């Protein structure tokens, strides 16, 4: 068993090297972006024009095709940040810290999009834009976790200290993810219970399920596309500044002493 997992471990160890990561992932960026664009078009068309209206919510149910994938990606992105933070904190992989930091603004946008579209949907369904519903409240907590994580990187000058502090916050904040997921089961909630990821399989017709899954995949590819772009940009900037720093250090060390 150990022999079977060794190649995978070696592959992951090599991928943690920034130069190897850039070389392996650069050819994937544009195909991922193109696939995301195609899926957004297909999923939007199916959701807006070919899926049926809900027998209770009518046409307003189409907000689901934006709201639900955004909510899923808000949670998945934070989970990815927490995992990357754990890797960076334990094994001190610089690339993991870079990836976690670059994913945070993307996750924040997904969370805000989920809350805004949820408010619009709630106004139609519940008659109010906001209610201190357990899921709404825990999603709002997620916004502040994202903001806090981003702020830690901004206010702490030492990159090493910022990475360690942000990682601790990300890992502690991951406790909120199961609260969001199971809040509708643990407490009385205006939100309906899970209809897709549930025991017994999805509880919605295929004409609604397929557009939703296509949009979820599209959002996932958008996340991957933007994350790779941001990480590559940061790594490129770090490569540019390295020679300058070394040259500056050499100049200081070799400069003759003056009396």
């Amino acid at each position: 068993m150990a022999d079977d997992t060794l190649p995978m471990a070696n592959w992951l160890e090599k991928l943690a090297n920034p130069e190897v990561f850039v070389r392996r992932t650069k050819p994937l960026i544009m195909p991922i972006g193109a696939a995301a664009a195609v899926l957004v078009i297909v999923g939007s068309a199916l959701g807006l024009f070919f899926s049926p209206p809900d027998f209770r919510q009518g046409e307003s149910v189409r907000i689901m095709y934006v709201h639900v994938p955004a909510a899923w990606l808000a949670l998945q992105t934070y989970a990815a940040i927490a995992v990357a933070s754990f890797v960076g904190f334990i094994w001190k992989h610089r690339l993991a810290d870079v990836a976690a930091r670059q994913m945070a603004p993307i996750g924040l946008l997904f969370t805000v999009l989920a809350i805004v579209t949820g408010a619009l949907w709630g106004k139609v369904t519940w008659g109010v834009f906001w209610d201190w519903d357990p899921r709404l409240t825990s999603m709002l907590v997620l916004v502040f976790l994202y903001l806090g994580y981003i702020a830690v990187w901004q206010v702490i000058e030492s990159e090493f200290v910022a990475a360690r502090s942000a990682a601790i916050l990300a890992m502690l904040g991951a406790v909120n993810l199961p609260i969001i997921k199971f809040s509708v089961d643990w407490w009385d909630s205006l939100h309906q219970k899970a209809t897709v990821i549930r025991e017994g399989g999805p509880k919605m017709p295929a004409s609604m399920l397929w557009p939703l899954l296509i949009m979820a995949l599209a959002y996932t590819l958008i996340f991957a596309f933007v994350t790779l772009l941001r990480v590559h940009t940061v790594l490129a900037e770090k490569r540019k500044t390295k020679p300058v720093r070394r040259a500056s250090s050499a100049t200081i060390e070799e400069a003759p002493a003056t009396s």
Side-chain angles (χ1 to χ4, degrees), residues 22-68:
V22 169
R23 187 169 64 251
R24 296 284 177 85
T25 59
K26 188 174 182 179
L28 303 176
I29 295 178
M30 294 313 297
I32 290 174
V38 170
L39 288 176
V40 166
I41 294 172
V42 173
S44 299
L46 291 175
L48 291 175
F49 304 112
F50 295 98
S51 67
D54 185 71
F55 73 100
R56 289 181 179 174
Q57 302 177 44
E59 300 293 343
S60 67
V61 75
R62 302 187 193 281
I63 300 175
M64 170 181 67
Y65 302 114
V66 177
H67 170 73
V68 174

Side-chain angles (χ1 to χ4, degrees), residues 104-127:
I106 307 170
L108 177 61
L109 288 176
F110 279 131
T111 310
V112 172
L113 178 60
I115 290 177
V116 170
T117 54
L120 296 174
W121 199 2
K123 179 61 176 176
V124 177
T125 306
W126 305 332

